[in-house]
Amino acid sequence: SISGPVRADIDSVYAPAPPADAAFVRFVNLSGAPVEAHLERGGRLRLDAGKSAGRYEIVPAGRLSLRFTGRNGSREVSIPVQQYATCILRPGGQIQVMMDDAADFNLLKARLSFYNLSRCAQAGLLALGPEELQVFAGIGRDRQAQRQVNPVRVRFLARCDAPALETPPLPPPALRAGQRHSLFLIDAGAGIRLIDIADTTAPAPR
């Protein structure tokens, strides 16, 4: 039987397409406590504390009402048709929404997104090989950037100057040609760390 990445590729080809009027949203819970997200006309999602981003959930485009248990309250956001968004839950109940660039790219490469969600005023991402290679530079706090990269196994670390911090090297993410991948720089106690996730979308209803 077929399993693993090949099975996932086959499933993605034959899966039903999302509705033409859909939008897509995922969550990063940095609030320090478990949170449950209630999607308008959708299900409930349990978001563990400190968990990396989940998959993109399919939601109706336009004004979307998001409601959270605990201190995060509720928030209305506007997500255009076929747009992807990342919703970050911060300590103290703050909710931040970042629109993601989902433009087409060279399918022989991987698409890498880098989010600076840390205390760093500006951060850079480096690939570690025989020598350090700058992948992103000067990404401001609460900003993101994307680029195409070769789908090779390489370790990454992030570094910032104000304050002067550096993450532990991240084990090589599973970058694959034709797929998107995200790296999030977040605070970790007195330091910073990277979390990574392959960008995936929930199955469309049949």
Side-chain angles (χ1 to χ4, degrees):
S1 63
I2 301 173
S3 61
V6 174
R7 175 78 263 175
D9 290 343
I10 294 174
D11 290 344
S12 67
V13 169
Y14 292 100
D21 61 349
F24 309 88
V25 62
R26 66 180 175 182
F27 301 90
V28 182
N29 183 12
L30 304 181
S31 69
V35 173
E36 190 173 67
H38 303 255
L39 300 180
E40 184 181 74
R41 287 188 285 165
R44 299 181 179 185
L45 297 175
R46 180 175 172 80
L47 310 172
D48 294 332
K51 183 175 175 58
S52 61
R55 66 187 183 181
Y56 287 104
E57 301 293 332
I58 301 172
V59 296
R63 293 206 64 82
L64 175 67
S65 178
L66 303 174
R67 184 166 57 88
F68 306 94
T69 60
R71 294 173 296 173
N72 289 84
S74 62
R75 169 80 181 271
E76 278 197 354
V77 299
S78 181
I79 307 177
V81 171
Q82 295 298 313
Q83 177 66 57
Y84 289 74
T86 296
C87 183
I88 300 107
L89 310 183
R90 299 283 195 174
Q94 297 175 321
I95 301 171
Q96 176 187 3
V97 178
M98 302 175 74
M99 295 299 172
D100 299 331
D101 184 354
D104 291 338
F105 61 99
N106 183 346
L107 296 182
L108 296 178
K109 293 181 176 289
R111 173 72 174 272
L112 186 64
S113 299
F114 177 59
Y115 297 73
N116 179 8
L117 306 182
S118 71
R119 65 171 69 88
C120 298
Q122 290 191 329
L125 183 73
L126 299 100
L128 303 179
E131 57 185 28
E132 290 185 351
L133 175 66
Q134 189 86 51
V135 182
F136 295 103
I139 308 303
R141 184 186 297 118
D142 296 333
R143 295 291 184 268
Q144 58 167 304
Q146 299 83 24
R147 64 171 291 181
Q148 299 178 67
V149 297
N150 291 323
V152 297
R153 289 183 60 81
V154 63
R155 295 185 304 158
F156 291 99
L157 67 78
R159 184 179 293 156
C160 61
D161 296 326
L165 295 170
E166 181 176 292
T167 66
L170 182 74
L175 300 177
R176 301 179 59 206
Q179 294 195 352
R180 295 175 169 87
H181 206 95
S182 295
L183 296 178
F184 297 88
L185 179 63
I186 66 172
D187 292 328
I192 52 176
R193 70 182 180 97
L194 284 169
I195 55 178
D196 75 283
I197 187 170
D199 296 356
T200 59
T201 302
R206 294 185 179 273

